[in-house]
Amino acid sequence: MKNLLMHFGFVGGTQVVIILVVVLVLFGGKKIPELMKGLGNGIKEFKNATKEESNDKIEDKK
């Protein structure tokens, strides 16, 4: 049981390959760059929002 809990949640190389193949089959080769671009934009917006929030907190303390 302890050994099972140690490996729970870790993704190995084989699992990553299987996930990539499934994503490729589901979305197709042409759609993947669009999905990655959207994901990148979402991450960028999230970082900007967290920076703005931290700047607002700093200004409130002054």
Side-chain angles (χ1 to χ4, degrees):
M1 183 69 176
K2 185 178 179 180
N3 192 20
L4 177 64
L5 292 175
M6 288 177 57
H7 294 292
F8 185 74
F10 295 106
V11 179
T14 306
Q15 288 88 3
V16 171
V17 170
I18 292 171
I19 291 169
L20 290 175
V21 168
V22 169
V23 168
L24 184 62
V25 168
L26 289 176
F27 296 109
K30 293 182 181 179
K31 191 73 173 175
I32 291 177
E34 294 174 21
L35 292 171
M36 293 300 110
K37 183 178 179 182
L39 180 63
N41 287 337
I43 291 172
K44 187 187 306 182
E45 289 178 17
F46 178 76
K47 286 183 179 181
N48 289 339
T50 56
K51 285 180 184 177
E52 289 175 6
E53 183 68 28
S54 65
N55 288 341
D56 290 342
K57 287 183 180 180
I58 291 171
E59 290 176 3
D60 289 342
K61 289 183 180 180
K62 289 181 179 180

